[in-house]
Amino acid sequence: MASEQRTHEIAQAMRDAIRANRVAVSCDERVSEADAAQLLGLHPGTLKNLRHQGTGPPAYRIPVAGSRISYRVDDLAAWVEARRH
């Protein structure tokens, strides 16, 4: 249960950052690959490599803000929490 609460808190922090930085977001809360990388504190190339290796957060081949790849905020938050030590 604590992990679910923490995931929710991370997702909310990401939503706050999205609003504060006026990031383009789809109606189902997907952001571009570049914006996802920024939210995660990663270089876009690193996120792309993780996606190709199958170790990154779930990605969609549905465009957002000119990017062919997009990521849901909740998936990004869950991916972060899953890597917590």
Side-chain angles (χ1 to χ4, degrees):
M1 183 60 97
S3 181
E4 286 180 29
Q5 177 63 30
R6 183 69 185 135
T7 298
H8 176 74
E9 291 169 1
I10 294 167
Q12 188 56 51
M14 287 181 175
R15 287 180 187 99
D16 293 344
I18 286 167
R19 277 191 292 279
N21 294 297
R22 298 178 184 235
V23 171
V25 62
S26 69
C27 61
D28 61 343
E29 294 193 315
R30 284 179 295 105
V31 296
S32 71
E33 189 164 38
D35 290 330
Q38 185 174 10
L39 287 168
L40 295 171
L42 299 174
H43 186 278
T46 300
L47 183 56
K48 182 178 181 178
N49 287 339
L50 290 170
R51 179 170 47 84
H52 286 291
Q53 294 168 3
T55 58
Y60 294 80
R61 290 196 185 278
I62 303 170
V64 171
S67 174
R68 288 187 276 174
I69 302 298
S70 58
Y71 295 84
R72 284 185 57 239
V73 172
D74 287 340
D75 291 340
L76 296 174
W79 186 79
V80 167
E81 182 59 17
R83 274 136 196 84
R84 182 175 168 203
H85 292 283

